[in-house]
């Protein structure tokens, strides 16, 4: 029996009816079984690809991508996922600094979705705006479908908003599951999500938020650490706390990177911007206050520089479980002595984890494809079984 | 019997032999039956899509798009149409302000058409240039095919030139046909194509020209209204006059928006630039005279501002048939109090027609696909019937 | 028996086992039989296309294109080739002036290759860098495949580096073969690869290098001519010399265009930059010395202007075999009196060769597709036979 058939049999036991025709905004909108379904389908699609099996579920159709912030790896992951399923990507190239208004979004949403089966949106620049944009967009296409403007109802894959980065956190998590040999081995494991120094500013909060919002659901001891003033959104922390209670794990904050790393099985040291500063920035952008934006940038870079000791050095790594914690990063990292004089991680540490880091990233196309498949296919179990028995992707 | 089969049976009665391997420049190049064929195939493709039937006629092949002016909705409509039929879009990104010369066009045309089945060109910026560019391009690929350079003969879909905007006018018309319950109900209906104030300048004349050149063919009373100096091309007016005579309808010009709106069943209030000014602009661009261009822009904006009362207000709408004329626009509109302080249409009017406006736009991908299909498929009746009996687009 | 079957039977006799899963960097990495295989498959794919046969070998998969220099015709050739075989192009849009470093290339290579079957790279701007970039990139994806990051091993098509331009030279060569009625008719023919004046500077050396590196393999008398100081890379000249010895042809340098053209059967007059100057430019770019770059440009343009008599005039053409040598160019050419006041070729000469020039270019998509097919298909003979017997590309 192939791995795919085993995975399809597991999928069959899960309650996934609500996923059909649904959007993927935040991991915490989804039940544990629904997330399990995504992981399962991602693994199955990967197994099928390795065995040169066609996984096309569409013979035509478009995946619309909207990147309101620069992106290479998420762009290619979305393109790969769409291609895997038979969709063609059509990119809407919006000016990224422009904060669109309600009516304009509604009109654009309909105008670009005529043949759209799936919409992927990245909009992480502005706290309080990213999720709102995605919601407005998707409400518009749902109305468009209801009103007979669109012949199919497109569904959303959130490619990063101001609150969550679900395709990243899910790819990170699937990587952890594989590294630890199964989700059942994660109970009690310590995961440290910590801030790290970077000579740039304004990196989105949605990565740490996505991580604590998801990884507190597997019985692990999740620790968040950051310098004073670098808080994440309190709503997401509240979710992390509830998740931990429900799974017998824990969620807590500590004041230093050292404390977070002590005995950790998994570490995720990464820079992000302070929540309050990001709120201020959104207002400055809305007011078109370029001078204010420049001053804020200067202030934030100076503030960052106070915390250069928050870095994933060799010394810091020695504090972790046997000195060998699994090191995670969403990439690209700011690497001390390679991409910058002082950064998030020592070159020697980063270099040692290169293969696992690339593997971590390699799950993203499959996670995205699984999200699309679960929202577009009514009976995914039969679909996987048919793919397993089906034709080759490469004909000769 | 499915709607598609009914439509295929209607198509069978039409004389469409000349459409195979032909280009679509202007609606007035085509016979009434040929336009009927486009509407029929567009409706059939839409019905097939609604029923999840594959409409791929190609298993590979390229649709080359050339947008010599910015475009979102036409770009996505072309992409949707190509995808619907199995073609992949490859975009040629030319500098838009550059007026290409004969030899260069000829060379480019061959170099980008190696696997091209269809070419979509938008070139509406320069009066006297847009159509010429399309013609030069298509003559070159025809020669290329004849000379054995290209293995297939690509055909043109005019995505807007300086003279006509056939995919827009045809989509508008199909929308009217559906709204009025069939082309047989249009006899004697009054359609008002009127200029409207906008705080921008230089909008193409091809929309009003496309409308009067097409909509005078269905026995309607078509009225054109604009302020003095905003004339459209006299050749197209001549076509409108002849069309009206041939169908028992009428074409006339009136001096005010009020007169045009009085008792109208359909209104299409939209800004455009004066023909003479656009001719002047073309010369300034050819001479590279940026100062002259800036001065012309200033002059035109000031001239526009004299006609702010040309606006589709609630008051104006009350003059139409039962105050409920069908409001049309090619989008995006300049909406008073929403996108600008004073514009083409009141926000409350525009908002009331939102769903029909989006539906109007939603016909464009199907119109384009129908144009492609009629030019690439020798026996479109059998093709539709085979699609109707064929496999699903979404396999699971 | 179809032409494709004949070609497949010829292919069967060639030793091509090493081509499967291999990269295409330089023509001189390949055996004569391997190059013959490329020409053979290119001709077969063209025959199949002419007969409306599907040549898809993939039902999904990506062709990643990376153009580190502007390109229209190579871009469209790669897009056409991918489409012909069933791959979708995903373009990585790197800032072209940026010289990427080892680690960054390694990371990018993995991040964009998740579903990549083939990688096409153009990087011809910097002597000593273009090939290095391609090599670093491909080493990284090979490691990525070995380490389980990628599910398939992508192969390279060099779309032009600083050393060779194999898709161009191979297309040129296939054109020559067809013009002369077969490779067996080339023995003793004189081919003149000569420098020609152009009012621009810094054109890549990889075209003349690609030509002398390939065309010396067919028993022709290949002559290179250029003004003093416009030498090409000595390593490639060494290859040309060895090739000529092995095939009973000759390779020599002459000092004037006149001497090169005298009695030539084929002429390829084209501008390029001096090797030493390009080395200097690479260093200036690496140092970010914009002033130095500007000065070098001025110096090179002045130097070029000393050699305006190196032009393919009507007079010059009269020196060739019966005054009717086959004129080649990779396009676009600098045409005297058309695209510039004084350039590489007289307008009347260029115009007389327009159809053959476009045909020359038309082989490139097929050459690229053949390179892809030979590296991705284990049994290309059976594949061609199956295509010949298979379904139509255009279903109706």
């Amino acid at each position: 029996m192939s791995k795919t058939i085993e995975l399809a049999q597991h999928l069959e036991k899960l309650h996934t009816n609500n996923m059909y025709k649904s959007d993927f905004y935040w991991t915490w909108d989804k039940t544990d079984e629904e997330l399990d379904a995504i992981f399962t389908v991602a693994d199955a699609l990967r197994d099928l690809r390795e065995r040169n099996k066609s996984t096309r579920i569409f013979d035509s159709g478009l995946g619309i991508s909207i990147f309101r912030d620069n992106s290479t790896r998420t762009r290619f992951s979305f393109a790969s996922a769409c291609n895997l399923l038979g969709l063609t990507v059509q990119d809407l190239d919006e000016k990224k600094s422009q904060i669109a208004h309600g009516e304009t979004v509604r009109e654009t949403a309909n105008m670009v979705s005529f043949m759209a089966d799936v919409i992927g949106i990245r909009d992480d620049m502005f706290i309080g705006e990213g999720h709102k944009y995605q919601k407005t967009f998707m409400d518009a296409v749902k109305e468009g479908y209801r009103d007979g403007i669109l012949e199919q109802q497109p569904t959303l894959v959130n490619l990063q908003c101001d609150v969550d980065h679900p395709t990243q956190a899910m790819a990170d998590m699937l990587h952890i599951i594989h590294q630890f040999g199964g989700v059942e081995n994660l109970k009690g494991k310590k995961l440290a999500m910590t801030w790290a120094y970077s000579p740039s500013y304004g990196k989105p909060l949605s990565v740490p938020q996505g991580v604590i919002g998801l990884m507190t659901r597997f019985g692990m001891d999740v620790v968040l650490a950051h310098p004073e003033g670098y808080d994440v959104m309190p709503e997401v922390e509240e979710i992390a706390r509830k998740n931990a209670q429900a799974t017998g794990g824990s969620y807590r904050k500590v004041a230093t990177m050292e404390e977070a790393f002590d005995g950790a099985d998994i570490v995720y040291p990464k820079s992000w911007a302070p929540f309050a500063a990001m709120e201020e920035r959104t207002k400055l952008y809305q007011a078109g206050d370029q001078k204010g934006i420049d001053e804020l940038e200067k202030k934030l870079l100076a503030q960052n520089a106070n915390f250069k000791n928050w870095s994933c050095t060799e010394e810091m790594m020695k504090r972790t479980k046997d000195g060998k914690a699994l090191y995670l990063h969403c990439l690209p990292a700011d690497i001390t002595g390679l991409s910058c004089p002082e950064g998030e991680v020592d070159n020697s540490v980063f270099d040692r984890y290169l293969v696992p880091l690339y593997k971590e990233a390699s799950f993203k196309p499959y996670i995205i494809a699984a999200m699309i498949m679960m929202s577009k296919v009514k009976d995914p179990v039969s679909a996987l079984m048919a793919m397993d028995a089906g034709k080759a992707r490469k004909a000769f």
Side-chain angles (χ1 to χ4, degrees), chain A:
Chain A
M1 187 163 57
S2 75
K3 191 171 157 187
T4 294
I5 297 296
E6 276 178 52
L7 289 162
Q9 286 172 352
H10 176 67
L11 183 62
E12 201 162 15
K13 293 176 204 141
L14 304 174
H15 293 88
T16 63
N17 287 343
N18 289 336
M19 301 185 85
Y20 185 54
K21 295 197 175 179
S22 78
D23 299 312
F24 208 113
Y25 286 104
W26 299 336
T27 58
W28 45 88
D29 290 338
K30 305 292 177 186
T31 67
D32 290 351
E33 296 202 1
E34 288 171 350
L35 297 187
D36 190 352
I38 301 288
F39 292 137
T40 304
V41 172
D43 276 345
L45 290 173
R46 188 160 199 158
D47 176 61
L48 291 161
R49 179 76 171 193
E50 278 171 6
R51 290 159 52 218
N52 190 32
K53 289 285 185 181
S54 174
T55 53
R56 284 190 76 146
I57 56 178
F58 295 97
D59 97 318
S60 58
L62 296 177
I64 308 298
S65 62
I66 304 174
F67 287 91
R68 293 162 66 83
D69 194 3
N70 290 327
S71 170
T72 296
R73 58 209 75 225
T74 301
R75 186 183 291 277
F76 273 76
S77 291
F78 185 70
S80 296
C82 283
N83 181 268
L84 196 65
L85 302 177
L87 297 174
T88 297
V89 172
Q90 181 70 15
D91 190 53
L92 176 63
D93 189 15
E94 288 202 312
K95 301 280 167 304
K96 68 181 172 164
S97 63
Q98 199 178 332
I99 301 180
H101 301 287
E103 273 317 295
T104 311
V105 176
R106 193 176 169 190
E107 188 169 309
T108 302
N110 275 282
M111 295 306 119
V112 303
S113 301
F114 294 133
M115 302 293 154
D117 288 293
V118 66
I119 315 275
I121 304 178
R122 177 171 184 183
D123 188 346
D124 57 357
M125 295 274 286
F126 303 109
I127 284 283
E129 293 293 330
H131 174 67
K132 207 192 288 176
Y133 176 85
Q134 294 189 356
K135 193 75 173 58
T136 309
F137 196 102
M138 294 314 295
D139 286 349
V141 295
K142 266 171 197 55
E143 279 177 48
Y145 176 65
R146 188 200 61 199
D147 295 337
I149 295 156
L150 308 176
E151 268 71 62
Q152 65 287 307
Q153 183 183 322
T155 53
L156 174 82
V157 175
N158 170 7
L159 297 175
Q160 186 165 12
C161 71
D162 53 328
V163 183
D164 194 8
H165 191 350
T167 63
Q168 182 66 47
M170 293 286 285
D172 297 338
M173 191 64 216
L174 188 51
H175 176 56
I176 292 173
I177 292 170
H178 280 273
Q179 291 285 317
F180 284 81
V183 74
E184 61 278 10
N185 300 327
L186 297 179
K187 209 122 226 155
K189 292 283 181 295
K190 182 179 179 183
L191 182 148
M193 176 78 235
T194 87
W195 191 88
Y197 170 73
S198 152
S200 81
Y201 98 107
K203 299 208 175 184
L205 285 79
S206 45
V207 172
Q209 290 171 176
V211 167
I212 64 168
L214 174 65
M215 305 213 179
T216 44
R217 294 174 78 159
F218 302 90
M220 292 194 282
D221 291 324
V222 176
V223 174
L224 179 70
H226 57 74
E228 230 188 291
Y230 285 81
D231 302 80
V232 300
M233 291 172 78
E235 307 88 291
V236 183
E237 284 211 71
E238 189 51 37
I239 285 159
R241 257 176 236 112
K242 284 185 183 161
N243 283 344
Q245 279 167 6
T247 61
S250 68
Y251 171 73
R252 65 205 157 91
K253 279 174 82 164
V254 296
T256 64
M257 199 181 210
E258 284 80 359
E259 207 177 331
F261 267 53
D262 279 339
D265 297 278
I266 304 161
V267 295
Y268 205 139
K270 202 213 157 294
S271 183
W272 66 81
F275 174 47
M278 288 299 95
E279 278 189 313
E280 199 183 329
R281 191 174 72 147
T282 299
K283 279 174 202 150
L284 292 167
Y285 265 99
Q286 281 165 334
D289 181 354
Q290 189 57 47
K291 210 186 136 206
I293 293 165
D294 293 346
E295 277 166 13
L296 180 64
E297 177 173 349
K298 215 176 283 176
K299 203 185 83 185
L300 287 172
L301 285 174
Q303 186 181 329
N304 273 7
N306 295 328
F307 306 110
K308 290 191 178 178
N309 57 325
W310 288 71
S311 182
C312 184
T313 58
E314 290 287 3
E315 283 309 299
M316 200 65 88
M317 281 303 288
K318 282 184 187 145
R319 292 174 169 273
T320 69
K321 184 80 178 298
D322 304 329
K324 290 184 174 170
L326 180 63
Y327 167 81
L328 301 182
H329 200 285
C330 57
L331 304 182
D334 290 313
I335 304 161
T336 303
L338 185 70
S339 57
C340 56
E342 292 168 292
E344 297 170 308
V345 58
D346 273 7
N347 194 0
S348 60
V349 173
F350 189 81
D351 199 61
R352 194 159 64 244
Y353 286 94
L354 223 44
V355 170
L357 278 168
Y358 293 172
K359 271 196 186 154
E360 180 186 356
S362 76
F363 288 107
K364 202 187 272 182
Y366 294 104
I367 288 289
I368 296 174
M371 288 176 178
I372 296 173
M373 188 162 152
M374 289 307 295
S375 74
K376 305 305 294 185
V377 173
K378 212 182 156 95
D379 181 358
V381 174
S382 302
L384 288 180
M385 287 176 166
M387 286 170 184
D388 189 81
K391 67 167 181 162
R393 175 183 78 90
K394 208 171 77 172
F396 300 102

